[in-house]
Amino acid sequence: RKTSTPPIVRKPAVAVTSHYSTTALSMSNTDPDLVVGFVMIAMACTPYILGTVSSSALGLFAPLYNDDEEGKLAEIGWKVRYATLGLALTTLAFVEVYFADNDAAQILRDSYIVWAIFYTEATRKIRSEAMDDILQGDRLFIQLWHVLVVIVLWADVSESYTGQAITNFLKNIFT
């Protein structure tokens, strides 16, 4: 008796995307608030990253402090704030994934709230330090930069939860 095996049928590969995948997020035209928030955060962090290579690049966007006790305490204050930001973002993501079961887009939107709070506090800190003469050099550009970051981040948070102003603006410009 002869037994035959059924022929192997190969199905064509199909790209599967869901609202959980980064591919779906990047291909989406309906969430420009996510892109605006990311770009603003990347722009806001870039001077600090460049500052690891050259302190002159950092000086235009972030405060440089006097080399005294107050200056050292102010720099420690930034380290504490960034550590707190990291913990807050990690905790938020953990809670949203394991307890709220939110999708990636919602977690990203919620993280922008934490960034907006962080930069609001950073702007207040820079202003306070400027008034106490702890900063070196001109503070105008540093303060303007942080105010711009705060305005864009809070506008993005507002857009994410209440309206479509950014969406409509971007669609009108690029379509």
Side-chain angles (χ1 to χ4, degrees), residues 18 34 37 71 97 105 130 134 166:
S18 73
L34 296 176
V97 167
I134 298 172
I166 294 173

Side-chain angles (χ1 to χ4, degrees), residues 101-131:
D101 196 29
N102 284 338
D103 67 352
Q106 187 60 46
I107 294 169
L108 194 55
R109 282 187 181 99
D110 292 345
S111 76
Y112 294 167
I113 296 171
V114 177
W115 278 101
I117 293 168
F118 172 81
Y119 265 91
T120 301
E121 166 55 17
T123 304
R124 186 216 55 81
K125 181 180 186 324
I126 290 168
R127 174 67 178 159
S128 172
E129 292 166 351
M131 299 307 292

Side-chain angles (χ1 to χ4, degrees), residues 72-142:
K72 289 177 185 175
L73 288 173
E75 288 179 357
I76 291 170
W78 281 110
K79 292 172 186 172
V80 169
R81 282 167 178 76
Y82 270 108
T84 303
L85 173 65
L87 178 62
L89 289 170
T90 303
T91 303
L92 175 70
F94 179 83
V95 167
E96 290 202 54
V97 167
Y98 287 103
F99 299 114
D101 196 29
N102 284 338
D103 67 352
Q106 187 60 46
I107 294 169
L108 194 55
R109 282 187 181 99
D110 292 345
S111 76
Y112 294 167
I113 296 171
V114 177
W115 278 101
I117 293 168
F118 172 81
Y119 265 91
T120 301
E121 166 55 17
T123 304
R124 186 216 55 81
K125 181 180 186 324
I126 290 168
R127 174 67 178 159
S128 172
E129 292 166 351
M131 299 307 292
D132 292 340
D133 287 329
I134 298 172
L135 297 177
Q136 291 178 2
D138 187 23
R139 62 183 159 80
L140 180 63
F141 189 77
I142 295 167

